[in-house]
Amino acid sequence: RYVLLPADARLTDQSLIAVDSDGHKLWAYAFEKKLNPVEINRPSQFTWVADLMGDGDREVIAIVPFALGPNQRDGTEFQISCFSSRGKLQWSYTPRETFQFGTHELHGPWLVLDLIVSSRGTKKVIYAALTHSEWGNSFVAELDPSNGRGIVRYVNTGTIRSLSEI
């Protein structure tokens, strides 16, 4: 039996929608918490489709901007979520790291400014650039594509806006 795989995905007001290569809807995942429409409407990439496990299947990764309150300006808590090709939530990573910069301690909410799926040999690895919403300090987390566990790989006193292969 032939199974259609996601080719693209997009966030809408309250859900994630995956489509095939012809643009036909394959599935939708409705989030229980309210998404922040200000973040969704920014001209940034929020979704990726990749074969993370190297098995010919395609997973969907989404940067999900949850609203912290009823007003758009109440702030956002970002979560990185991974879905199977059939729309089942596999794992989620919410950045909760805390760092000490001089005498100031920084903790979330952290903004996810970029994400890349890279290869380490035959294995895929996910890297995310996260920045503090007020102070601009940032870090890069490496996420395990099988379970979403994050490891801090780099910390910076300035903002990291984008990631790329080198």
Side-chain angles (χ1 to χ4, degrees):
R1 184 176 159 219
Y2 180 72
V3 177
L4 292 175
L5 295 175
D8 198 9
R10 68 182 181 281
L11 287 173
T12 64
D13 291 345
Q14 205 52 42
S15 62
L16 174 67
I17 296 172
V19 297
D20 66 16
S21 58
D22 292 326
H24 298 115
K25 180 176 156 182
L26 296 175
W27 51 262
Y29 182 91
F31 295 101
E32 293 180 11
K33 295 193 289 185
K34 181 177 172 35
L35 302 185
N36 189 333
V38 170
E39 295 298 334
I40 292 172
N41 293 321
R42 289 188 197 278
S44 349
Q45 184 172 355
F46 281 93
T47 62
W48 291 260
V49 177
D51 179 2
L52 296 177
M53 304 307 154
D55 57 5
D57 204 2
R58 289 188 199 146
E59 288 75 29
V60 175
I61 303 167
I63 297 173
V64 186
F66 291 114
L68 287 174
N71 300 312
Q72 295 174 354
R73 296 179 192 257
D74 288 338
T76 306
E77 178 180 71
F78 285 85
Q79 178 177 288
I80 299 170
S81 296
C82 179
F83 299 84
S84 73
S85 62
R86 289 169 184 76
K88 180 182 180 214
L89 178 63
Q90 304 289 70
W91 54 259
S92 291
Y93 166 78
T94 302
R96 304 230 187 266
E97 286 77 1
T98 299
F99 299 100
Q100 186 81 28
F101 290 93
T103 59
H104 194 75
E105 186 175 273
L106 287 181
H107 49 84
W110 296 97
L111 308 174
V112 182
L113 293 187
D114 198 15
L115 184 143
I116 63 169
V117 177
S118 182
S119 295
R120 184 181 300 145
T122 59
K123 184 181 177 189
K124 298 288 186 193
V125 181
I126 303 165
Y127 292 98
L130 302 109
T131 299
H132 193 267
S133 57
E134 291 179 41
W135 292 89
N137 300 65
S138 57
F139 69 99
V140 174
E142 175 185 323
L143 305 180
D144 184 326
S146 66
N147 58 27
R149 286 194 190 105
I151 299 169
V152 174
R153 290 296 185 194
Y154 181 75
V155 179
N156 192 41
T157 56
T159 301
I160 299 171
R161 297 191 187 282
S162 65
L163 299 170
S164 183
E165 301 276 357
I166 53 171

